[in-house]
Amino acid sequence: CVLVGASSIRSVAQKTGEAPTNTHAKMTTPAPQSGPGNMATFNIHHGFPEALVRGMRSSFLADSDYHHLTQCENLDDFRLNLSETDYSEGIQDNAALTPTSLQSAAVEKLVTEFQYLRTQAIEPLSTFLDFITYEYMIENVMLLLKGSLSGRDINELIAQCHPLGMFRESTMRSIPTFESNAKGYSDLYQTVLVDTPVGPYFSQFLQESSDRFGDSRNVLEEVEIEIIKSSLIKYWIEDFAQFVDKLGGETKRIMGDLLKVRADTNAINITLNSFGTPLNEPAMRASDRKRLYPAVGHLYPAGTSMLADVADEDELGRVLELFPQYSAIWNIHAGGSGDKSIDDAFYERDVLQLELAFEGQMHFATFYAYVKLKEQEIRNLVWISECILQQQKDEINKFVPVFSMHAPWRAKKAR
């Protein structure tokens, strides 16, 4: 296959007959009143929270910490080694450490740090930090909605919700009280979903879906929960991207690229996961599946137009080969060696880009990068603890360390 440049991508867009316009024309969130500032003004308004988040970078586990943790024979040893790190305070009262309790303690620590940063922020940084939480709010609402439809206990569902996406408990507990019919879903939207900070995304989804399903109150019955979630994440990415674009400066350049990569990852995963489902039927590809692709990203618009037509993994691979930044990731999946999945490849790529966000100055992307890198570190801890618990030492090193001197991209640079 031949790698194509920007001019070739534009020609592909012309052949498809699709203009590269953003379908998300109007921001759900109001435009920022002012930008982050420049070299002369940034530190006046945002210097303290930026200094905090850059100081928090020192709390990430070092290569030596990971080495000691992977050598543990049981979770008691794991807990003892972890007590020498920044997680010591969170696990000191946890006598019987388990992967689940470890994850809860680590997430609680992250939330405490994030909320402190949020209290120190002023506009437009405060709205930027709120945007980060909207993703978790969407996941929480969809978890509660899906759980209520299957009759699960509300207390169990609330315990599984991410703390960064919590809203009023009374709102969360009211979801199971609605009847499982058209009127019940309509009341659910009017009473619960509209009152959440991500309510405008639900409103937009129902408005766009009502043309295809008729009465909007039937939408939640006709559409699968995961499709609703993918649509809401799409609106969030587009809204966040427009907000960042209006901020301008280094935030627009660095954070904008992070969101483009996030949008492309969503588009690739949606396409890959649709194989073998109704979304891959010819009539559904160009309508329902294509609607789930964010209208931003390096793949948009030419790449997403081509993704809408693929029917299997071979066709998906041929499309991604046209984009060098994704062809290598796809080759890992296509190789099927078992040592690394496509998710692992995406995680490695994300960690590289998020680490690079800390190399710049006077921008907001470091706050987003810190949250996402901490999430990766938490995934690493849970993976290692699970391998120890299940005596799977051969698999224990299959994680992506953060700020590691042994990272593949740093090893290549050293050679």
Side-chain angles (χ1 to χ4, degrees), residues 237 240-241 244-245 249-265 296-299 325-326 349-350 352-354 356-357 365 368:
I237 292 175
F240 201 175
V244 166
D245 186 66
E250 284 292 281
T251 298
K252 173 183 176 180
R253 184 179 69 84
I254 300 176
M255 188 64 206
D257 188 64
L258 290 174
L259 289 174
K260 287 179 181 179
V261 170
R262 173 64 189 276
D264 292 344
T265 303
V296 294
H298 299 295
L299 293 178
Q325 64 268 48
Y326 298 115
R349 187 275 321 273
D350 291 343
L352 167 61
Q353 291 197 308
L354 293 168
L356 288 176
Y368 177 85

XYZ file of all heavy atoms in Angstrom, residues 237 240-241 244-245 249-265 296-299 325-326 349-350 352-354 356-357 365 368:
294
model
N -16.488 14.601 22.920
C -15.210 14.851 22.261
C -15.308 16.073 21.357
O -14.417 16.942 21.356
C -14.759 13.611 21.457
C -14.414 12.454 22.403
C -13.568 13.947 20.568
C -14.083 11.156 21.680
N -15.614 19.248 23.537
C -14.325 19.515 24.181
C -13.339 20.078 23.153
O -12.599 21.037 23.432
C -13.796 18.220 24.790
C -12.769 18.411 25.879
C -12.285 17.321 26.596
C -12.278 19.673 26.202
C -11.334 17.475 27.599
C -11.338 19.848 27.212
C -10.859 18.758 27.900
N -13.310 19.489 21.960
C -12.387 19.932 20.916
C -12.671 21.376 20.500
O -11.739 22.164 20.280
C -12.470 19.002 19.707
N -11.453 23.689 23.303
C -9.994 23.808 23.268
C -9.555 24.671 22.094
O -8.622 25.482 22.212
C -9.366 22.396 23.196
C -7.897 22.479 22.822
C -9.538 21.669 24.524
N -10.213 24.500 20.957
C -9.870 25.286 19.775
C -10.060 26.776 20.029
O -9.265 27.609 19.580
C -10.724 24.836 18.587
C -10.313 25.506 17.285
O -9.201 25.248 16.808
O -11.117 26.297 16.750
N -3.615 29.019 21.390
C -2.290 28.870 21.958
C -1.807 27.435 22.035
O -2.207 26.571 21.246
N -0.918 27.175 22.996
C -0.362 25.849 23.178
C -1.423 24.837 23.596
O -1.326 23.649 23.278
C 0.755 25.890 24.229
C 2.064 26.473 23.732
C 2.721 25.574 22.710
O 3.342 24.572 23.090
O 2.607 25.886 21.504
N -2.437 25.305 24.320
C -3.517 24.394 24.712
C -4.224 23.853 23.481
O -4.516 22.653 23.397
C -4.526 25.116 25.619
O -3.866 25.547 26.816
C -5.665 24.189 26.004
N -4.478 24.714 22.509
C -5.121 24.278 21.265
C -4.254 23.271 20.537
O -4.754 22.252 20.040
C -5.399 25.486 20.377
C -5.918 25.138 18.989
C -6.096 26.380 18.134
C -6.531 26.019 16.719
N -6.704 27.241 15.880
N -2.952 23.514 20.474
C -2.056 22.641 19.715
C -1.892 21.276 20.403
O -2.060 20.233 19.756
C -0.695 23.303 19.553
C 0.285 22.504 18.692
C 1.609 23.230 18.555
N 2.341 23.271 19.812
C 3.127 22.281 20.249
N 3.245 21.170 19.548
N 3.775 22.400 21.399
N -1.573 21.278 21.691
C -1.262 20.015 22.375
C -2.534 19.251 22.741
O -2.676 18.066 22.445
C -0.408 20.290 23.621
C 0.902 20.976 23.218
C -0.128 18.996 24.377
C 1.771 21.386 24.382
N -3.472 19.932 23.397
C -4.697 19.252 23.800
C -5.547 18.905 22.590
O -6.225 17.872 22.568
C -5.484 20.139 24.774
C -6.677 19.443 25.405
S -6.162 18.048 26.440
C -7.640 17.039 26.355
N -5.519 19.766 21.584
C -6.269 19.469 20.368
C -5.797 18.178 19.727
O -6.610 17.371 19.245
N -4.483 17.954 19.720
C -3.957 16.725 19.131
C -4.333 15.511 19.973
O -4.646 14.441 19.430
C -2.439 16.828 19.000
C -1.852 15.678 18.215
O -2.163 15.553 17.015
O -1.088 14.877 18.799
N -4.321 15.652 21.297
C -4.733 14.544 22.161
C -6.180 14.144 21.910
O -6.519 12.956 21.895
C -4.543 14.933 23.633
C -3.102 15.053 24.140
C -3.082 15.594 25.569
C -2.381 13.716 24.069
N -7.036 15.133 21.698
C -8.442 14.840 21.437
C -8.645 14.247 20.045
O -9.529 13.404 19.846
C -9.284 16.108 21.598
C -9.459 16.601 23.037
C -10.175 17.941 23.058
C -10.237 15.580 23.870
N -7.830 14.674 19.092
C -7.918 14.077 17.756
C -7.561 12.596 17.805
O -8.224 11.757 17.184
C -6.987 14.811 16.790
C -7.467 16.186 16.376
C -6.476 16.860 15.438
C -6.952 18.256 15.035
N -5.984 18.926 14.140
N -6.510 12.284 18.545
C -6.110 10.883 18.684
C -7.189 10.085 19.417
O -7.481 8.937 19.053
C -4.759 10.798 19.422
C -4.434 9.359 19.788
C -3.646 11.388 18.564
N -7.783 10.689 20.431
C -8.873 10.021 21.159
C -10.048 9.755 20.221
O -10.648 8.672 20.248
C -9.300 10.888 22.335
C -10.547 10.388 23.074
C -10.290 9.037 23.734
N -11.515 8.478 24.256
C -12.038 8.785 25.459
N -11.399 9.634 26.253
N -13.150 8.224 25.868
N -10.378 10.725 19.372
C -11.485 10.552 18.424
C -11.181 9.436 17.436
O -12.052 8.610 17.120
C -11.754 11.862 17.688
N -9.943 9.385 16.938
C -9.568 8.332 15.998
C -9.631 6.957 16.651
O -10.091 5.990 16.030
C -8.148 8.582 15.485
C -8.050 9.821 14.604
O -9.104 10.306 14.155
O -6.925 10.302 14.377
N -9.183 6.869 17.896
C -9.234 5.594 18.613
C -10.672 5.108 18.745
O -10.962 3.921 18.551
C -8.594 5.741 20.004
O -7.247 6.202 19.867
C -8.588 4.411 20.747
N -14.126 14.986 14.408
C -12.796 15.565 14.602
C -11.806 14.411 14.509
O -12.189 13.240 14.515
C -12.645 16.270 15.967
C -13.544 17.480 16.054
C -12.937 15.311 17.122
N -10.526 14.745 14.403
C -9.504 13.715 14.402
C -8.671 13.727 13.140
O -8.990 14.401 12.155
N -7.575 12.959 13.179
C -6.706 12.842 12.019
C -7.368 12.024 10.917
O -7.029 12.173 9.743
C -5.382 12.197 12.420
C -4.615 12.977 13.443
N -4.105 14.229 13.193
C -4.293 12.697 14.737
C -3.479 14.678 14.264
N -3.587 13.766 15.227
N -8.287 11.146 11.278
C -8.996 10.342 10.287
C -10.158 11.090 9.635
O -10.623 10.680 8.578
C -9.537 9.059 10.938
C -8.523 8.033 11.423
C -9.236 6.862 12.085
C -7.643 7.539 10.286
N 0.382 6.670 11.242
C 0.329 6.652 12.698
C -0.541 5.518 13.231
O -0.475 5.191 14.426
C -0.181 8.001 13.243
C -1.616 8.368 12.863
C -1.699 9.177 11.595
O -1.086 8.840 10.587
N -2.460 10.283 11.639
N -1.363 4.902 12.367
C -2.230 3.816 12.823
C -1.904 2.474 12.166
O -2.369 1.436 12.647
C -3.694 4.173 12.570
C -4.121 5.399 13.337
C -4.492 6.563 12.675
C -4.109 5.419 14.726
C -4.851 7.708 13.380
C -4.463 6.541 15.436
C -4.827 7.686 14.755
O -5.173 8.816 15.462
N 0.780 4.115 22.870
C 0.740 5.360 22.103
C 0.220 6.512 22.959
O 0.760 7.626 22.922
C -0.132 5.137 20.864
C -0.184 6.269 19.839
C -1.229 7.346 20.154
N -2.454 6.812 20.684
C -3.475 6.384 19.939
N -3.405 6.446 18.637
N -4.585 5.934 20.519
N -0.829 6.250 23.748
C -1.406 7.298 24.592
C -0.415 7.770 25.653
O -0.281 8.975 25.893
C -2.678 6.783 25.275
C -3.818 6.571 24.284
O -3.732 7.103 23.173
O -4.786 5.861 24.639
N 2.829 7.716 25.569
C 3.859 8.532 24.919
C 3.383 9.963 24.723
O 4.085 10.918 25.084
C 4.235 7.910 23.576
C 5.061 8.794 22.622
C 6.387 9.171 23.248
C 5.263 8.088 21.280
N 2.199 10.135 24.167
C 1.698 11.478 23.884
C 1.362 12.242 25.161
O 1.593 13.453 25.249
C 0.470 11.400 22.975
C 0.795 10.929 21.568
C -0.316 11.244 20.592
O -1.471 10.903 20.842
N 0.009 11.890 19.492
N 0.832 11.546 26.149
C 0.492 12.209 27.404
C 1.749 12.639 28.156
O 1.766 13.704 28.786
C -0.348 11.264 28.271
C -1.749 10.945 27.733
C -2.372 9.785 28.489
C -2.660 12.164 27.807
N 4.498 13.542 26.708
C 5.011 14.701 25.972
C 4.275 15.980 26.344
O 4.834 17.076 26.207
C 4.891 14.450 24.461
C 5.855 13.419 23.873
C 5.557 13.190 22.396
C 7.300 13.867 24.055
N 3.042 15.864 26.835
C 2.292 17.057 27.232
C 2.989 17.782 28.379
O 2.857 19.005 28.527
C 0.864 16.672 27.642
N -3.094 21.172 28.851
C -3.090 19.744 28.539
C -2.436 18.906 29.630
O -2.720 17.705 29.746
C -2.388 19.504 27.206
N -5.098 17.256 31.899
C -5.709 16.085 31.271
C -4.721 14.921 31.263
O -5.093 13.778 31.576
C -6.136 16.438 29.845
C -6.719 15.295 29.052
C -8.070 14.972 29.147
C -5.923 14.540 28.189
C -8.610 13.931 28.402
C -6.451 13.497 27.449
C -7.791 13.198 27.562
O -8.323 12.156 26.827
